[in-house]
Amino acid sequence: MPVIAVIGAQWGDEGKGKVIDLLAQKAGVVVRFSGGDNAGHTVVNPYGEFRLHLVPSGIFSPHAVCIIGNGVVINPAVLIGEIDQLNQCSVDTTGMLISDRAHLVMPYHILLDGLEEEARGGKAIGTTRKGIGPAFADKAARLGIRAGDLLDKEALLERLRSVLDNKNTILTKIYGVSPLSLEEIYRQYCQYGERLAPHIRETTIILQEAVDRDELVLLEGAQGTLLDPDFGTYPYTTSSSPLAGGGCLGTGLSPTRINHVLGIFKAYCTRVGEGPLPTELKDETGDLIRERAHEYGTTTGRPRRCGWFDAVAAGFSTRINGFTQAAVTRLDIFDILPRLKICVGYKLNGESIDYFPSSIATLAKCQPIYEELPGWQAPIDHIREYEDLPLEARQYIARLEELISCPVNLISVGMRREQTIFKTPIL
Ligand code: GDP
Ligand code: IMO
Ligand code: MG
C-alpha cells in the first residue's frame, strides 16, 4: 500500500476532509502535517457531521492511527474540545498521537494575531485570528513552546517565564494592552499537559514502521497551495507550507517514501480572507454558487469568495506539488448552471500569459481569459459511476485533465462519504 500526500490544490477548503475520511477506511496511519486550528475539515459519515480543526480526518477509521505531526501548531484547548466532542459521538480517540515536536499556540499568539490584524488596517490579511501566524513566527524565532514541553512542568515554567517576558514587553510597550499572567498560563497549560500526556510522544518511528509494513499512509494537508508562504499570493498567505514538500517536513517522512500526490481541486475556486482571486465572480453567479454550496468558512463562518476554475493557478499548483492524480469535488454545485467557464490564461498588459505571477501587484492586473463549456442542468449527486455522468460533466472533467496535465481519479458529487465516483482506482 502506498504513501499518499493529500494536498489542497487551490486556496483551501477543497474538500480534503471528505477525501481523507473516505480513503482512511483502508489506512494504517493518517498524519496532519501543517497549519493549526485555522483549518476546518468537514467530514460527513455514519457517525454524523464534523468540522475538524486539529484531529486528523482519519479518526473515524478504527484501524487508522491518527497523528498530529510536528508541522502542526496546536491550541490545546481547541484540541481537547474536539476530542470531547468526538468522544460524545462514540468516536474513539484514545489511540491518537501528538508529535512531541509540534509547537503550541499560546494565549499571546491569539492576542497578537488580532492586534497585528488591527494594526494592518486596510491591509489586513484576513487571518483566522487563531494565533497561527504568531505561533509559526515564534517557531522560526526559536521562542516556541512544544507539546513535549508539557511533559516536564519545571522546564515548562522556566521556558514560559522567559518567553512571556518578551511577549509582555511587546503587548504593553507596542500595543499598549495589559500583560498576561505567567501563573495563569502556566496553571492552564499544566492542566492541558495532564490531559494530553497519554497522546504526546515521538512519532516519526511509528510512521516509518507503518511505511515499512507497507500500510496505506495518508499525509493530510491543510490549507491550499496558493496560501503557501513561498508560492502563494504573498503576503496574503498562511504561515506554514500546505505543499506536498511540507508533508515531509511536517511529519519526518522522507520525500523518497511518498508514492502519490493527490491534488484536491474544487470544480470552481473559493477563497476566504483577503488577497487576489483572479477569477472572482462579484455578480449573481458568484452569489448563486456561494448560496447553493453554502460557501461559508468552516472555521470562521466568513462568506467565501467564489470564482470560476482557474486552470493557470491549477497548473502551477500541479507543477510545484507534482500531483500524480487529482480529485475534483463539488461538481454537483454546477447542476443548475447552463454555461460554465474555465480560465485558461491571463491577459497582462495586452499580452496573453499562461504562468501564475509571483507578485500580487502583477496578479491584480491579470484579466482571466475564459473558455466556455455547456452545463448539464441535471442532478448528479446520486451518480456513482463515471459513465453515468451527463456528457457535459464528463467533458468538463476531461478539459480540466487536459489543462492541468494530470488525471482526475476521483470526483465528488456530495458531502457524504458515498457520494463519490472513482473514475480510476486510487488504491
Ligand atoms: P477542507 O478544508 O478542504 O476539508 O474543506 P471544507 O470542509 O472546509 O469545505 C468543503 C465543504 O464542501 C464542506 O462543507 C464539505 O462537506 C463540502 N463538500 C465536499 N465535497 C463535496 C461535494 O462533492 N459536493 C458538495 N455539495 N459538497 C461537498
Ligand atoms: P483548510 O485546511 C481556507 C486563510 C485565511 C487567511 C490566510 C491566513 O480548511 O483548507 P491564518 O489564520 O492561517 O494566518 O490566515 O489563510 N486560511 C484558510 N483558508 N482554508 C483553510 O484551511 C485556511 N487556513 C488559513 O482565511 O486568508
Ligand atoms: Mg476548510
Side-chain angles (χ1 to χ4, degrees):
M1 286 284 232
V3 176
I4 307 180
V6 179
I7 304 298
Q10 295 156 318
W11 281 273
D13 304 327
E14 297 89 350
K16 300 174 290 293
K18 172 184 164 160
V19 173
I20 290 279
D21 170 62
L22 175 68
L23 300 180
Q25 292 172 94
K26 292 189 182 164
V29 178
V30 179
V31 207
R32 256 288 299 273
F33 67 77
S34 72
D37 65 310
N38 49 353
H41 294 182
T42 312
V43 170
V44 185
N45 64 21
Y47 285 96
E49 183 169 337
F50 301 86
R51 285 165 191 81
L52 301 172
H53 302 289
L54 285 165
V55 173
S57 303
I59 196 70
F60 306 94
S61 169
H63 314 293
V65 175
C66 283
I67 302 178
I68 302 181
N70 57 280
V72 177
V73 291
I74 300 171
N75 179 330
V78 172
L79 178 58
I80 291 167
E82 212 162 290
I83 291 172
D84 288 344
Q85 194 210 349
L86 287 162
N87 295 163
Q88 275 160 22
C89 297
S90 310
V91 181
D92 183 13
T93 53
T94 45
M96 188 184 71
L97 302 177
I98 300 168
S99 165
D100 54 2
R101 294 182 171 94
H103 282 242
L104 300 177
V105 173
M106 304 299 291
Y108 42 83
H109 292 140
I110 300 168
L111 197 55
L112 285 167
D113 199 356
L115 291 167
E116 286 167 8
E117 278 288 84
E118 301 299 331
R120 287 184 194 111
K123 292 201 166 114
I125 292 164
T127 74
T128 57
R129 300 192 178 212
K130 302 289 179 189
I132 308 301
F136 279 110
D138 272 1
K139 177 176 176 176
R142 286 139 311 171
L143 287 172
I145 296 179
R146 308 198 294 179
D149 294 332
L150 295 176
L151 305 178
D152 180 343
K153 287 185 182 173
E154 248 171 63
L156 174 66
L157 181 60
E158 209 171 301
R159 180 87 178 137
L160 185 59
R161 194 190 306 276
S162 72
V163 175
L164 194 62
D165 262 356
N166 167 304
K167 297 297 165 189
N168 275 339
T169 307
I170 296 170
L171 287 172
T172 54
K173 300 262 170 15
I174 296 183
Y175 292 105
V177 298
S178 308
L180 296 176
S181 147
L182 173 67
E183 289 69 32
E184 226 168 90
I185 300 178
Y186 177 63
R187 194 174 34 81
Q188 204 175 42
Y189 276 67
C190 283
Q191 280 172 11
Y192 296 148
E194 279 161 25
R195 176 75 199 273
L196 295 174
H199 301 278
I200 300 172
R201 63 156 95 166
E202 210 288 339
T203 52
T204 63
I205 298 167
I206 294 159
L207 185 57
Q208 187 64 51
E209 284 172 353
V211 176
D212 290 342
R213 281 196 303 273
D214 213 20
E215 291 176 12
L216 172 65
V217 171
L218 300 174
L219 307 186
E220 177 175 352
Q223 289 80 52
T225 297
L226 300 163
L227 291 171
D228 180 78
D230 281 280
F231 297 102
T233 52
Y234 191 85
Y236 294 94
T237 58
T238 190
S239 38
S240 64
S241 178
L243 305 180
C248 297
L249 295 174
T251 61
L253 195 69
S254 153
T256 58
R257 306 308 298 262
I258 296 182
N259 306 96
H260 299 288
V261 184
L262 172 63
I264 314 292
F265 293 90
K266 244 179 228 190
Y268 47 92
C269 284
T270 62
R271 176 167 198 156
V272 59
E274 302 306 318
L277 180 64
T279 60
E280 183 166 9
L281 287 163
K282 293 181 177 163
D283 60 7
E284 67 231 23
T285 309
D287 294 343
L288 190 113
I289 292 175
R290 183 178 310 102
E291 293 317 312
R292 186 171 156 72
H294 195 72
E295 289 290 3
Y296 290 87
T298 310
T299 299
T300 57
R302 291 177 291 176
R304 294 178 184 146
R305 299 151 62 196
C306 300
W308 295 117
F309 189 90
D310 185 338
V312 181
F316 175 61
S317 177
T318 303
R319 180 160 58 78
I320 61 176
N321 284 293
F323 294 143
T324 54
Q325 45 193 316
V328 173
T329 65
R330 296 202 145 205
L331 193 64
D332 54 298
I333 299 302
F334 281 162
D335 286 358
I336 54 166
L337 296 182
R339 311 273 319 153
L340 307 174
K341 288 187 189 179
I342 302 175
C343 167
V344 295
Y346 297 148
K347 190 133 254 176
L348 176 64
N349 301 327
E351 308 256 327
S352 293
I353 61 163
D354 61 0
Y355 62 88
F356 193 75
S358 52
S359 132
I360 54 164
T362 309
L363 200 53
K365 288 190 215 138
C366 287
Q367 293 298 320
I369 302 169
Y370 286 117
E371 190 174 287
E372 272 200 34
L373 276 80
W376 44 93
Q377 295 190 280
I380 59 167
D381 59 347
H382 60 286
I383 294 177
R384 303 290 175 263
E385 299 295 331
Y386 184 66
E387 292 67 33
D388 296 337
L389 280 174
L391 174 69
E392 295 84 355
R394 283 179 280 139
Q395 281 172 340
Y396 186 76
I397 294 292
R399 189 65 185 123
L400 296 192
E401 286 182 316
E402 239 169 43
L403 287 164
I404 64 174
S405 310
C406 179
V408 171
N409 293 28
L410 185 157
I411 298 161
S412 173
V413 293
M415 295 172 82
R416 297 199 315 276
R417 216 186 237 179
E418 66 275 15
Q419 290 180 297
T420 307
I421 299 168
F422 285 97
K423 180 163 167 278
T424 37
I426 282 188
L427 299 173

